[in-house]
Amino acid sequence: MKSEENKQKSIGRIIASLLVRLVALVAIALWLSTHLDFDSVPKDILTHGWAITGVACFGAINLAVAALRWRTLMLSFGAVNLPRFALLFRLNLIGHFYNIFVPGAVGGDLGRAFIARRCFKAASSSYFVIVSERMIGLAALGVFFGVGILTGPELRGIEHGGIWSVALIGLLALVVGGGLLGRRIARWWKDAPQLENPMAVGLATALSLITHSVTILGFWVLSRSMGLELGLVDLALIVPIALVASVVPLAIAGLGPREAALVAVVPLLDLGTAEQALALSIGFAISNWILGGVGGLIHLIMGKSAHHLSEPDRSTEAIS
């Protein structure tokens, strides 16, 4: 009886969550309708297939680098059963599928943490590593946003941008501080995650800087293909805003907050119209769908074997 009640509650929570996201998406669509002339939105987005495919390839490179970052953080937080790099890359592809096509943008991350929990003495460490990945990624975005604020064009309507950049970078201190405090917290919570190698956080940050650089390059390729005069310095300011917006768990199929952010920001630079910004965001979304589709196909073909963690990689010296 309790099992049936729990099942109904779970279904109710899923439906409620989906309704909230649908309402948010409708609100974003209504807002976009007041800022866009839909007749002027480029209709030839799919003709930029070579650029969109290239961005999808950049995304695959990012997932590979992210697998190395994940592996680095797992080791630094005391993983006792370190998976092979190829397996973590495969899990990132599958996780990307869930992040894109399952509402919320975090389903894939939760899945990765759940699968990798057996690599640690305490399952909580696996979840802490995934949260740390997100926070380090946002901190790295703060670096690019700061560079964009200092060297990029003036972005009207954004005051005290440096404060936001510092706030994002401050997330890095939370990761390091939280990990180091784990040893003290362990007095009360024996399974508290503990950071055994603080230098690994620096390496993870450097890897995040690489992934964001590749993402900015992808936006540059796509914008050039679409005739948008956006330079790399311009994108160092714009892309962090778009990516931070996409972290908000309201998107459906990766659409919603990022489009609103780009439509709001790009015209402020006088380097493109709101309609062009929307086309750019949709082109980027299509590249994500392609990459997510690859992850879904791997998951479909390989099934449970796609995330089998019983064969650890003993060669940890390279990143220790």
Side-chain angles (χ1 to χ4, degrees):
M1 190 68 178
K2 288 184 178 180
S3 177
E4 186 66 25
E5 290 179 359
N6 290 335
K7 184 177 180 180
Q8 290 178 353
K9 289 181 180 178
S10 178
I11 294 175
R13 285 195 294 268
I14 293 173
I15 294 175
S17 177
L18 184 58
L19 287 176
V20 168
R21 292 184 175 92
L22 284 173
V23 170
L25 197 60
V26 170
I28 291 173
L30 290 174
W31 180 85
L32 289 174
S33 69
T34 65
H35 290 72
L36 292 168
D37 177 7
F38 285 98
D39 290 334
S40 300
V41 174
K43 306 298 191 299
D44 60 346
I45 297 174
L46 292 179
T47 64
H48 303 280
W50 68 269
I52 292 173
T53 303
V55 175
C57 292
F58 287 155
I61 293 173
N62 275 346
L63 290 180
V65 176
L68 180 58
R69 180 183 63 194
W70 186 12
R71 198 171 188 268
T72 299
L73 288 173
M74 288 177 72
L75 183 62
S76 68
F77 277 96
V80 295
N81 182 20
L82 196 64
R84 296 180 181 279
F85 167 80
L87 174 56
L88 295 180
F89 175 53
R90 195 158 64 236
L91 288 174
N92 272 347
L93 278 168
I94 295 171
H96 188 68
F97 165 77
Y98 282 100
N99 281 343
I100 293 298
F101 295 109
V102 174
V106 295
D109 290 341
L110 291 175
R112 290 193 298 126
F114 180 78
I115 292 169
R117 73 196 187 284
R118 70 192 69 179
C119 298
F120 297 87
K121 293 179 180 178
S124 58
S125 295
S126 178
Y127 291 94
F128 191 81
V129 164
I130 298 299
V131 172
S132 296
E133 268 198 291
R134 282 277 186 166
M135 294 175 69
I136 290 172
L138 288 172
L141 277 178
V143 173
F144 282 102
F145 186 62
V147 171
I149 289 290
L150 293 174
T151 64
E154 181 182 356
L155 187 59
R156 299 189 306 274
I158 300 292
E159 289 83 14
H160 309 298
I163 296 177
W164 290 104
S165 180
V166 171
L168 286 173
I169 296 173
L171 294 174
L172 192 61
L174 290 178
V175 173
V176 177
L180 294 178
L181 285 174
R183 296 175 183 177
R184 294 191 176 184
I185 297 173
R187 297 175 184 175
W188 301 278
W189 177 24
K190 65 177 182 178
D191 292 333
Q194 298 182 31
L195 182 60
E196 298 182 0
N197 182 7
M199 294 299 295
V201 176
L203 176 56
T205 303
L207 293 172
S208 290
L209 291 173
I210 292 173
T211 60
H212 294 323
S213 297
V214 173
T215 299
I216 288 173
L217 181 60
F219 268 98
W220 181 79
V221 169
L222 195 55
S223 65
R224 287 289 169 174
S225 175
M226 293 183 171
L228 269 167
E229 297 297 326
L230 294 174
L232 291 174
V233 175
D234 303 326
L235 289 167
L237 183 61
I238 295 170
V239 171
I241 297 174
L243 294 184
V244 169
S246 66
V247 172
V248 179
L250 294 174
I252 294 181
L255 295 174
R258 183 186 60 242
E259 284 66 38
L262 284 174
V263 167
V265 171
V266 169
L268 294 178
L269 294 173
D270 295 326
L271 292 175
T273 65
E275 291 76 19
Q276 289 175 314
L278 179 62
L280 176 66
S281 188
I282 291 175
F284 184 75
I286 293 173
S287 72
N288 273 328
W289 295 343
I290 293 172
L291 193 56
V294 172
L297 188 61
I298 291 173
H299 192 37
L300 179 64
I301 293 174
M302 302 188 69
K304 291 184 178 180
S305 64
H307 45 74
H308 188 58
L309 291 174
S310 63
E311 297 181 2
D313 186 353
R314 305 297 181 188
S315 58
T316 61
E317 293 84 358
I319 58 174
S320 60

